[in-house]
Amino acid sequence: MTGSAIAVDAMGGDFGPRLVVSACVKSLAEHPQLHLVLVGDTASIEAVLSQYPQVDRTRLTIQHASESVSMADLPAHALRHKPDSSMRIALQLLRDQQVQACVSAGNTGALMALAKHILKLLPGIERPAIMTALPALNGETHLLDLGANVDVNAQQLVQFALMGSAAVQAQGITRPRVALLNVGSEATKGSQQVKLAAAELQALPQINYTGYIEGDGVFRGDADVVVCDGFVGNVLLKSSEGLAQMITARVKQRLGRGLRAWMLAWLARPLLKVLRSELAPERYNGACLLGVDGVVVKSHGNASEAAFQAAISVACVAIEEKLTQRLQANLQAFSSSSEL
């Protein structure tokens, strides 16, 4: 991987610098060509860094910010009344091309509002969308939107499909299968906006649109990109995470009773280890905010250290794959064909 520079909102998330800084130190070891700019209160960041005297400070710098955006802050308040927040400064570094990406575990609404204001939207995009990968039977399924937009119209769903398709193409899938999440596969089902979006997607040669998909098809891997509004996407994401946690807990309960269960657990340990690795929520942490002019990655607010490292890795991959440029090219091609 070529060298990448990433601005990290060190004050964001439920744990702030205590977790973010330690995750950043480990990310530097994981990515030898990576440079990180930690944005936030210098004293708080240095206090955590003092625990890692071995860290290469030529690859890690601090940009002071006197304010931070809390999880309770309304997006408008963060936008208008916190001019020196760590989130804003990190995005400004990206806008000014001092870094190539921004990562934050902070307030999602504030991050979207600030990114739209500072970075601006790509041409042809009305609203940005959050996309992440979910585990499927034969690989991964990419889902968007995950909560940036609760109410969307048909044209915005089409824009999400264009961006999702371009983002997955950047990962090496030439003609990703794109589907609309719906309550059934029949053409008569779904809301009016979903039906209108389906009709438009069917007429787009740039999109390999495969039709409607139901929730179970997401995890079977029936599509590479699944498009929905942010309300539905967020519910699906959180439900899948809760289900995975419940199944893990149930397996532990069942394998922890009696000698026979202990022996079964010992025999199944290698398989369970692989499954935990493949399905671990932290492995899939890090969602790209598509539609703004720059690489912005949103981490879960309660992410673990390993999960925050995964979000930084997502940003590294997006930089390497020139995600923003690919999105611009796809949108430009769509705009040109629409004018014909």
Side-chain angles (χ1 to χ4, degrees):
M1 186 187 76
T2 56
S4 303
I6 298 174
V8 178
D9 173 13
M11 312 307 289
D14 295 350
F15 309 108
R18 176 169 57 87
L19 180 139
V20 172
V21 174
S22 59
C24 285
V25 170
K26 294 181 178 179
S27 290
L28 290 174
E30 182 182 0
H31 303 285
Q33 302 301 315
L34 178 63
H35 182 98
L36 294 176
V37 181
L38 303 186
V39 186
D41 178 68
T42 300
S44 299
I45 295 171
E46 288 286 8
V48 181
L49 278 175
S50 66
Q51 304 170 29
Y52 302 94
Q54 79 284 1
V55 68
D56 183 358
R57 294 299 291 265
T58 65
R59 296 171 53 213
L60 186 150
T61 56
I62 298 173
Q63 175 70 50
H64 181 70
S66 61
E67 299 173 308
S68 61
V69 176
S70 75
M71 292 299 193
D73 281 335
L74 293 175
H77 180 80
L79 184 63
R80 297 170 186 166
H81 301 292
K82 293 195 171 180
D84 197 43
S85 71
S86 55
M87 187 182 287
R88 178 188 283 267
I89 299 301
L91 289 166
Q92 288 175 343
L93 290 173
L94 177 57
R95 177 199 63 192
D96 298 340
Q97 299 182 5
Q98 296 183 45
V99 297
Q100 298 157 283
C102 169
V103 178
S104 175
N107 184 314
T108 301
L111 182 64
M112 186 176 79
L114 285 166
K116 287 171 61 179
H117 176 72
I118 294 168
L119 302 174
K120 310 304 180 186
L121 294 174
L122 294 174
I125 294 299
E126 297 174 15
R127 295 184 184 181
I130 299 174
M131 185 183 81
T132 196
L134 296 175
L137 279 178
N138 297 307
E140 296 177 341
T141 300
H142 294 78
L143 180 69
L144 75 163
D145 178 34
L146 294 177
N149 309 279
V150 174
D151 296 309
V152 297
N153 59 37
Q155 187 58 39
Q156 289 157 359
L157 288 172
V158 172
Q159 292 169 12
F160 294 172
L162 285 162
M163 293 192 295
S165 180
V168 175
Q169 283 175 18
Q171 299 178 19
I173 300 177
T174 307
R175 290 277 290 167
R177 299 162 298 160
V178 179
L180 285 169
L181 188 60
N182 203 352
V183 295
S185 58
E186 298 86 354
T188 56
K189 291 190 175 180
S191 69
Q192 184 64 19
Q193 295 304 316
V194 168
K195 292 177 183 177
L196 290 171
E200 186 164 351
L201 287 170
Q202 286 172 341
L204 287 180
Q206 301 97 323
I207 299 291
N208 181 20
Y209 177 64
T210 59
Y212 294 145
I213 188 172
E214 298 182 64
D216 56 345
V218 174
F219 300 99
R220 281 200 306 266
D222 291 349
D224 302 300
V225 179
V226 175
V227 178
C228 60
D229 65 58
F231 180 88
V232 172
N234 193 267
V235 169
L236 176 61
L237 176 67
K238 298 296 174 61
S239 298
S240 66
E241 291 174 348
L243 177 62
Q245 292 168 359
M246 184 273 290
I247 290 173
T248 300
R250 282 291 183 90
V251 169
K252 287 181 179 179
Q253 289 172 1
R254 297 301 181 189
L255 293 179
R257 297 174 181 174
L259 178 60
R260 183 170 178 270
W262 182 89
M263 292 179 65
L264 287 172
W266 183 81
L267 291 170
R269 184 179 301 172
L271 174 60
L272 293 174
K273 184 177 180 180
V274 171
L275 286 175
R276 278 197 299 268
S277 174
E278 291 179 345
L279 302 178
E282 56 264 25
R283 178 179 175 181
Y284 295 93
N285 185 50
C288 290
L289 181 60
L290 303 179
V292 295
D293 192 5
V295 175
V296 178
V297 175
K298 174 67 175 70
S299 164
H300 273 313
N302 64 350
S304 66
E305 192 175 272
F308 198 86
Q309 283 181 253
I312 293 175
S313 294
V314 168
C316 289
V317 171
I319 293 168
E320 188 171 282
E321 294 174 343
K322 302 185 186 309
L323 176 60
T324 304
Q325 294 90 326
R326 287 176 179 267
L327 291 177
Q328 289 173 322
N330 219 37
L331 293 167
Q332 179 60 44
F334 168 67
S335 177
S336 299
S337 65
S338 298
E339 293 170 0
L340 296 177

